[in-house]
Amino acid sequence: MRSLLVILLAALAFSSYGQFSHADSLRGGYGNTRDWWDLQHYDLSVSFDIEKQEIKGKNVMIYTTPGVTGVYAFRKLQIDLQEPMVIDSVFLGNYKIPGNRITRDGNAYIILYEDAGYDPVNNNELTVYFHGKPRIAKNAPWDGGLIWTKDKNGKPWVTVACQGLGASVWFPCKDSQYDEPDKGVTMHYTCPEDLVCVSNGLFLGKEVGKNNLATFSWNVKNPINNYCMIPYIGDYVNIHDHYAGEKGNLEVDYWVLRGNEEKAKKHFIDAPKTLEALEYWFGPYPFYEDGYKLVEAPHLGMEHQSAVAYGNNYLKGYMGRDLSGTGEGLKWDFIIIHESGHEWYGNNITSKDIADMWIHEGFTCYSETLFTDYWFGTEAGNAYCRGLRKNIHNDKPIIGPYGVQQEGSGDMYYKGANMLHTIRTIYANDSLFRMMLRKMNAVFYHQTVTTQQIEQFMSTELGMDLSKIFDQYLRSKKPPTLQLIYKKNKVKFRWINCVKDFDMPIMNGKEPLSCSAKWSSFSTGRGHSFELNTNLYILLQKKGPKD
């Protein structure tokens, strides 16, 4: 049965996404070159040659080998580094691994331990030296890579955007969301001393060296995704603040380009408002030990943990537009709310495989609705969420194929948010729904997860079997269709074009009505009326006087 299921899933993946390659499996899989070693810490050093647009450095990786017995229990270890970047040498402890024991397989390097004179199990410090001219982003953050540009004053402005593409585009790492360094990372970035390099976590110090260069060191105490480890090099000025949050005092910093200080002080009022609203809904900000930063960036924005990239040009909405078309989205800065929302979903709770990226984007897109609800009222939040539906394409399933570094449909954002709003609506208890979200961030605190874990958690906490709802919205292309027939003093209804045994209730106002693929009816006589709750994201097929 299992082999048949694998064949069927492979056929579905082929039909929806095309054929996958060996390189896709290397990048997206988690097999015997990765699964036996558990990352504990990165100590990354990178020097930036801005004139040549080149970098060089080393990454010291500390790992453990839980459950591994025997010196040669495992024979291969995979380090990812994308072309045209090059690994120069690899050391296991103080032992230099011979070049003939390292093979390049596209964007992966495989270290062969078999019959070698070194022990990867008991010696768990791997140092990788590297250099090269990394890929340049053509349209960051969507097309990732290094960004070498200048600010309006002609000063160099350098950063990285690499979600999806992967951090291996610029430094050697274990490039998989399955495994984050449990004990955080330390980063040392060298650049011209008249610039500032900002990064994740807390600042350790600046060391001035030779040739007018300086090294800026930063430390992250919590686990972090590879793609969130980002340097921002530029003519930055710091605005420091504090936020009195649920876990006490949170250090807040805004790093903006010189000349933007005054408008940043006025505009970034949305940052503490975001922290307040999302702590209310999701629980404490997950990274108090590392602080919270907004860092001005030469691209629209990205959820870099504790150092959120901001490039919305100090405008309300999404570059001055309201993605919902309701007007609600022009009351706040989209990038501040959305990218900060990822601190809970994406950074605190991370999907193991990017096929399950709806966990990041669905919940974070919904954080915009929850922010609006908190500050402008529930009806405003409802209107905003409903307005987002115009951006849904229903082109393919939200969950993508596993093990090949492939996301599902972009509907993971707006459709994912509307699925959550639908569940909240049929559950009809905002207080307990909120408690479920807060508990989720506590139970899966700093963890990588699967969609099955999140789906089961929600079903258990809400006391509802949501499995068919998840199947319909995540694994099928289209939302369910509600067939309505209006007759005198009666409305008949049933689900069509849905997954087998789909039985989500509908809402007559705030009153739940059981609904399945079989006909049900509701009497509208004697003062009873039928008004379908529009907060459910469904398709309608109507007949009768209400057409």
Side-chain angles (χ1 to χ4, degrees):
M1 242 344 245
R2 181 172 175 79
S3 60
L4 176 60
L5 178 60
V6 170
I7 292 171
L8 290 173
L9 288 174
L12 176 62
F14 179 86
S15 63
S16 299
Y17 298 91
Q19 189 171 9
F20 293 109
S21 66
H22 169 68
D24 295 324
S25 296
L26 270 179
R27 177 72 173 84
Y30 204 72
N32 62 8
T33 60
R34 285 173 163 175
D35 63 1
W36 61 272
W37 56 292
D38 181 24
L39 274 172
Q40 296 298 300
H41 188 264
Y42 284 138
D43 194 322
L44 176 66
S45 300
V46 184
S47 180
F48 291 81
D49 188 326
I50 294 176
E51 183 177 345
K52 294 181 180 179
Q53 297 187 350
E54 295 178 347
I55 63 174
K56 64 180 179 180
K58 68 176 180 177
N59 191 13
V60 182
M61 308 181 213
I62 307 296
Y63 62 88
T64 59
T65 55
V68 175
T69 58
V71 174
Y72 302 119
F74 291 85
R75 303 287 199 258
K76 298 179 181 180
L77 184 147
Q78 177 178 332
I79 300 297
D80 303 289
L81 184 65
Q82 298 178 33
E83 296 176 327
M85 296 296 293
V86 176
I87 286 180
D88 300 312
S89 58
V90 181
F91 287 79
L92 188 66
N94 294 321
Y95 182 82
K96 183 177 182 180
I97 297 177
N100 63 2
R101 310 308 296 170
I102 304 172
T103 61
R104 182 158 202 171
D105 190 347
N107 290 326
Y109 286 79
I110 308 299
I111 301 172
L112 306 173
Y113 289 126
E114 188 172 8
D115 300 325
Y118 44 90
D119 178 3
V121 175
N122 296 311
N123 193 336
N124 61 357
E125 181 178 295
L126 194 71
T127 303
V128 183
Y129 291 85
F130 65 99
H131 80 281
K133 233 177 143 66
R135 165 177 165 164
I136 296 176
K138 296 178 182 178
N139 185 28
W142 302 278
D143 178 90
L146 267 286
I147 303 165
W148 310 87
T149 188
K150 292 185 177 181
D151 65 22
K152 63 183 179 182
N153 297 318
K155 289 290 191 78
W157 197 10
V158 180
T159 190
V160 184
C162 59
Q163 184 186 13
L165 178 62
S168 58
V169 73
W170 70 288
F171 73 89
C173 58
K174 187 179 186 179
D175 206 355
S176 172
Q177 289 184 185
Y178 276 78
D179 191 13
E180 298 177 355
D182 297 335
K183 297 180 181 178
V185 300
T186 306
M187 297 158 291
H188 316 275
Y189 298 125
T190 301
C191 65
E193 65 173 320
D194 62 333
L195 300 175
V196 174
C197 183
V198 183
S199 193
N200 317 82
L202 300 182
F203 183 52
L204 298 179
K206 173 184 176 181
E207 182 178 345
V208 178
K210 299 178 181 179
N211 302 317
N212 299 316
L213 298 176
T215 299
F216 296 80
S217 296
W218 295 80
N219 179 251
V220 175
K221 296 182 179 180
N222 293 296
I224 185 172
N225 302 322
N226 291 332
Y227 69 79
C228 281
M229 295 170 58
I230 298 295
Y232 302 86
I233 299 171
D235 187 21
Y236 283 109
V237 178
N238 177 246
I239 303 168
H240 185 67
D241 201 357
H242 298 272
Y243 173 73
E246 290 193 11
K247 287 179 67 174
N249 181 61
L250 175 64
E251 298 292 331
V252 174
D253 288 279
Y254 308 125
W255 290 89
V256 300
L257 292 180
R258 191 174 304 279
N260 291 340
E261 299 96 318
E262 291 308 312
K263 61 182 175 182
K265 288 176 183 178
K266 295 177 182 178
H267 190 80
F268 284 173
I269 187 63
D270 276 349
K273 289 177 67 176
T274 299
L275 291 168
E276 180 177 334
L278 298 190
E279 282 205 328
Y280 172 83
W281 283 104
F282 296 152
Y285 172 73
F287 307 108
Y288 270 75
E289 301 84 355
D290 294 320
Y292 170 88
K293 291 187 285 295
L294 290 179
V295 187
E296 192 166 359
H299 61 81
L300 182 60
M302 186 59 67
E303 64 266 24
H304 302 143
Q305 182 175 311
S306 73
V308 170
Y310 176 82
N312 203 34
N313 293 332
Y314 303 96
L315 296 171
K316 296 293 187 181
Y318 180 97
M319 294 294 286
R321 296 188 294 115
D322 176 11
L323 294 178
S324 76
T326 64
E328 298 297 337
L330 291 176
K331 296 177 179 178
W332 36 267
D333 187 310
F334 173 90
I335 290 299
I336 295 177
I337 282 74
H338 181 90
E339 303 305 344
S340 298
H342 274 304
E343 295 284 37
W344 285 264
Y345 289 96
N347 298 343
N348 183 41
I349 301 176
T350 306
S351 67
K352 290 181 181 293
D353 194 303
I354 69 169
D356 289 336
M357 283 288 284
W358 80 270
I359 298 169
H360 297 208
E361 302 301 349
F363 280 98
T364 298
C365 186
Y366 195 50
S367 74
E368 303 157 24
T369 293
L370 297 177
F371 174 91
T372 304
D373 183 306
Y374 184 87
W375 287 106
F376 303 102
T378 298
E379 287 308 311
N382 290 341
Y384 178 80
C385 196
R386 291 194 302 266
L388 293 177
R389 295 174 188 170
K390 66 186 180 68
N391 304 310
I392 298 173
H393 299 291
N394 290 320
D395 55 348
K396 56 186 177 182
I398 286 176
I399 292 179
Y402 291 100
V404 288
Q405 193 66 14
Q406 179 65 60
E407 297 177 359
S409 171
D411 283 347
M412 69 178 80
Y413 291 82
Y414 312 113
K415 186 176 177 181
N418 270 277
M419 177 191 72
L420 293 171
H421 201 51
T422 297
I423 292 172
R424 176 184 169 190
T425 300
I426 63 174
Y427 186 61
N429 188 322
D430 268 10
S431 177
L432 292 181
F433 186 83
R434 171 179 165 244
M435 290 301 105
M436 179 273 296
L437 294 173
R438 291 175 63 91
K439 185 174 180 180
M440 183 187 296
N441 277 277
V443 169
F444 299 112
Y445 184 70
H446 293 174
Q447 291 185 32
T448 60
V449 301
T450 65
T451 188
Q452 288 80 9
Q453 287 176 278
I454 298 302
E455 292 173 33
Q456 183 58 55
F457 176 86
M458 291 183 66
S459 289
T460 300
E461 292 302 313
L462 297 179
M464 304 170 66
D465 182 1
L466 301 173
S467 58
K468 295 300 178 181
I469 295 177
F470 288 123
D471 284 346
Q472 183 69 52
Y473 287 88
L474 299 178
R475 298 177 178 88
S476 174
K477 288 199 303 184
K478 294 184 177 181
T481 298
L482 180 65
Q483 192 173 44
L484 288 171
I485 297 179
Y486 289 88
K487 295 187 175 181
K488 185 178 181 180
N489 297 328
K490 185 168 68 172
V491 179
K492 293 179 64 179
F493 52 89
R494 68 174 178 177
W495 294 117
I496 60 172
N497 299 328
C498 53
V499 298
K500 185 181 179 182
D501 298 325
F502 186 76
D503 61 351
M504 185 176 78
I506 62 173
M507 302 296 288
N508 179 23
K510 295 184 178 181
E511 177 188 357
L513 301 176
S514 297
C515 185
S516 68
K518 297 180 180 179
W519 284 110
S520 298
S521 63
F522 178 81
S523 175
T524 56
R526 298 182 180 179
H528 296 285
S529 62
F530 182 84
E531 292 294 334
L532 185 66
N533 191 315
T534 57
N535 291 322
L536 303 181
Y537 175 53
I538 58 178
L539 301 180
L540 287 175
Q541 186 183 101
K542 299 187 291 184
K543 294 181 181 180
K546 289 272 184 173
D547 283 353

